Amino acid sequence: MGRWVFTPESLANTRHHAWKNAVNSIEQINAYLNLEPNSTETTTENDELTMTRLYAEQTLELCDVASLPPKVKFTAILLSQRFFTGTSVMRHDPGVIMFTCVFLACKLEEY
């Protein structure tokens, strides 16, 4: 299978891996800074999925406000969803990624 095609199981596994890596990184930083374990709140896997869906909706709204064509909207959402398939929202600000994906979509679709 191609890197852009996932089975439901491999998608869930990839997302779980990204989430677990982010949680482990936060735990390592807490240990390095001598913070108490669990002193930093992390998201759950469900929260991550909810946040990526929320930002997909906000991407649509942003594209509507900017009067972008549908192919740019859907390319931006595809890029965002693909990015957060392998990366946790705890590692990168979804708002910044949203604007980046819209910019890249405009470039990719030559708009």
Side-chain angles (χ1 to χ4, degrees), residues 4 21-22 27 35 41 50 65 67-68 75 78 87 93 95 97-98 108:
W4 282 71
N21 286 340
E27 289 172 354
L35 298 175
E41 218 172 292
T50 301
V65 167
S67 301
L68 297 175
T75 301
L78 173 80
T87 305
D93 181 2
I97 299 302
M98 176 182 66
L108 287 168

Side-chain angles (χ1 to χ4, degrees), residues 20-71:
K20 191 65 179 160
N21 286 340
V23 169
N24 288 341
S25 294
I26 291 170
E27 289 172 354
Q28 289 174 352
I29 291 168
N30 286 348
Y32 179 77
L33 297 174
N34 295 322
L35 298 175
E36 294 178 22
N38 300 325
S39 65
T40 306
E41 218 172 292
T42 60
T43 62
T44 66
E45 289 182 73
N46 250 359
D47 292 342
E48 293 229 349
L49 194 54
T50 301
M51 287 180 71
T52 56
R53 288 179 180 158
L54 171 72
Y55 277 94
E57 290 173 16
Q58 288 185 340
T59 301
L60 285 175
E61 291 175 19
L62 173 65
C63 291
D64 286 341
V65 167
S67 301
L68 297 175
K71 66 181 183 177

Side-chain angles (χ1 to χ4, degrees), residues 52-107:
T52 56
R53 288 179 180 158
L54 171 72
Y55 277 94
E57 290 173 16
Q58 288 185 340
T59 301
L60 285 175
E61 291 175 19
L62 173 65
C63 291
D64 286 341
V65 167
S67 301
L68 297 175
K71 66 181 183 177
V72 172
K73 291 180 196 179
F74 300 124
T75 301
I77 290 171
L78 173 80
L79 292 170
S80 175
Q81 293 294 317
R82 180 65 180 121
F83 181 82
F84 283 116
T85 295
T87 305
S88 171
V89 296
M90 292 183 281
R91 287 190 180 268
H92 299 281
D93 181 2
V96 173
I97 299 302
M98 176 182 66
F99 284 102
T100 303
C101 289
V102 170
F103 173 78
L104 288 173
C106 287
K107 292 292 195 180

